[in-house]
Amino acid sequence: MSITMFQASVPVLLQGLGNLRQIIGKAQAHAAEKQIDPAVLTGARLFPDMLPLARQIHITTDTAKGCAARLADVEAPKFDDVETTFDELDARIQKTIDYLKTFKPEQIDGSEERRITLKMRSGPIEFSGLNYLVYFALPNFYFHITTTYDILRHNGVELGKLDYLGKLNA
Amino acid sequence: MSITMFQASVPVLLQGLGNLRQIIGKAQAHAAEKQIDPAVLTGARLFPDMLPLARQIHITTDTAKGCAARLADVEAPKFDDVETTFDELDARIQKTIDYLKTFKPEQIDGSEERRITLKMRSGPIEFSGLNYLVYFALPNFYFHITTTYDILRHNGVELGKLDYLGKLNA
């Protein structure tokens, strides 16, 4: 009795990305309703040396596509970090969703022992597939979605925990 | 080839809780060094109707102990939400770590199909053990650790992503 690497990765990432689309959709509607320049929100940061919202979304999507690709041992498509508007950011999330949907369980399953090497600023770090997924990819993924949420809440966008969790798979 | 529910839960929660201790330790040191009343940080929020830092930590620890207990089908100890200082919050995290360390893999493994019912504001919601873990408990857990981090970064505490990820298990 156990779970598979696919179950613990691709559908989980898809859920988070879908929720992120809903969150930025609400932010875009909020900006329209309050006549706020949307660029104020997409460029917002929680501190001057933190990354702005648009970059949080670039990194969320990079983390998601990199995770599936590394576990499946394929090359992830490179996305240039050019999206700045809500529509562009939404399209990037959708493009990532489309990419993740191409993965079949048999490409990911059995990757728990696969050696995965990440180039970090401090040098390369090598993980097992399992440790890469649960100690690196998923915490990072949720970090950038939560920080997107926190930036928007800090700027008065009305969001709740259920926007972050999304429709729960019972 | 697969992973176990224990591998995907208890050690992952322990890693996050250990990282959270490091993060609030740095916040406490920052307050001491800059002669900031620590209560300013433990009471800080990103928006008036968001929860302050101390509550983020209460909920992180509740999520962690509730997750292990529900998967093992045991009753989690109840912690009163009385901790407000950094030392008290640190002790609560440590108490949660001690509790999680009592779980043996055989208590958690095989829980992927266990029915788990959560009382939500909107009514009860029923999950499989797997869906509870990957769509509810872990995203929630990371949400409150990240928001703790974001509150502190927003208040000028010098933290980096590696404080959030912690020592990586390669």
Side-chain angles (χ1 to χ4, degrees):
Chain A
M1 300 227 283
S2 54
I3 60 179
T4 67
M5 286 292 285
F6 183 83
Q7 286 176 314
S9 60
V10 172
V12 174
L13 297 166
L14 284 169
Q15 170 89 356
L17 291 170
N19 299 341
L20 185 59
R21 288 194 67 198
Q22 296 297 318
I23 287 169
I24 70 163
K26 287 200 175 184
Q28 188 169 19
H30 174 92
E33 188 195 334
K34 306 286 182 187
Q35 298 185 285
I36 295 166
D37 179 353
V40 172
L41 295 181
T42 56
R45 313 168 186 258
L46 289 172
F47 201 68
D49 69 355
M50 285 185 84
L51 294 172
L53 184 134
R55 290 289 298 139
Q56 302 292 338
I57 291 173
H58 297 161
I59 300 175
T60 303
T61 51
D62 283 349
T63 302
K65 70 182 165 64
C67 177
R70 288 192 183 97
L71 293 177
D73 201 15
V74 298
E75 192 77 25
K78 178 146 176 40
F79 293 170
D80 292 324
D81 295 333
V82 293
E83 302 85 358
T84 56
T85 70
F86 278 120
D87 284 341
E88 289 166 353
L89 292 166
D90 187 60
R92 179 169 173 141
I93 301 170
Q94 187 57 55
K95 190 165 63 164
T96 309
I97 289 172
D98 293 342
Y99 176 65
L100 287 185
K101 284 186 172 168
T102 67
F103 286 88
K104 303 273 176 290
E106 54 269 30
Q107 289 179 269
I108 305 273
D109 286 347
S111 60
E112 56 272 15
E113 296 295 340
R114 177 165 297 150
R115 300 317 296 177
I116 288 174
T117 305
L118 282 192
K119 288 173 203 143
M120 306 281 281
R121 260 181 246 166
S122 48
I125 177 162
E126 200 176 271
F127 296 92
S128 68
L130 170 62
N131 285 349
Y132 165 72
L133 176 64
V134 301
Y135 295 109
F136 186 86
L138 290 178
N140 249 323
F141 180 70
Y142 290 122
F143 179 92
H144 293 288
I145 295 178
T146 301
T147 299
T148 299
Y149 176 104
D150 285 345
I151 289 171
L152 292 170
R153 283 285 270 118
H154 180 64
N155 281 279
V157 178
E158 287 179 23
L159 297 167
K161 177 67 77 60
L162 291 183
D163 293 306
Y164 168 78
L165 290 173
K167 189 176 175 323
L168 291 166
N169 296 285
Chain B
M1 301 227 282
S2 53
I3 61 179
T4 68
M5 286 292 285
F6 183 84
Q7 285 176 313
S9 60
V10 172
V12 174
L13 296 167
L14 284 169
Q15 170 89 357
L17 292 170
N19 299 342
L20 185 59
R21 287 195 65 199
Q22 296 297 318
I23 287 168
I24 70 162
K26 286 199 176 185
Q28 189 169 21
H30 174 91
E33 187 196 332
K34 306 284 184 187
Q35 298 185 287
I36 296 166
D37 179 356
V40 173
L41 295 181
T42 57
R45 313 168 185 257
L46 289 172
F47 201 67
D49 70 355
M50 286 185 82
L51 294 171
L53 185 135
R55 291 288 298 138
Q56 302 292 342
I57 290 172
H58 296 162
I59 299 174
T60 303
T61 51
D62 283 349
T63 302
K65 71 181 164 61
C67 177
R70 288 192 184 97
L71 292 178
D73 201 15
V74 299
E75 191 77 24
K78 176 145 177 43
F79 294 170
D80 292 324
D81 295 332
V82 293
E83 303 85 355
T84 56
T85 69
F86 278 120
D87 283 342
E88 289 165 354
L89 292 166
D90 187 61
R92 177 167 174 143
I93 302 169
Q94 186 58 55
K95 191 164 62 164
T96 309
I97 289 172
D98 293 343
Y99 175 66
L100 286 186
K101 284 187 173 167
T102 66
F103 287 88
K104 303 272 176 290
E106 54 268 31
Q107 289 179 269
I108 305 272
D109 286 346
S111 60
E112 56 272 15
E113 296 295 338
R114 179 165 295 152
R115 299 316 297 177
I116 289 174
T117 305
L118 281 193
K119 290 173 201 141
M120 306 281 281
R121 260 181 246 168
S122 48
I125 177 163
E126 199 176 273
F127 297 91
S128 67
L130 170 62
N131 284 349
Y132 165 72
L133 176 64
V134 301
Y135 295 109
F136 186 87
L138 290 177
N140 249 323
F141 180 71
Y142 290 122
F143 179 93
H144 293 287
I145 295 178
T146 301
T147 299
T148 300
Y149 176 103
D150 284 345
I151 290 171
L152 292 170
R153 284 284 270 117
H154 179 64
N155 280 279
V157 177
E158 288 179 22
L159 296 167
K161 178 67 78 59
L162 291 182
D163 294 305
Y164 168 78
L165 290 173
K167 189 176 173 321
L168 292 166
N169 296 284

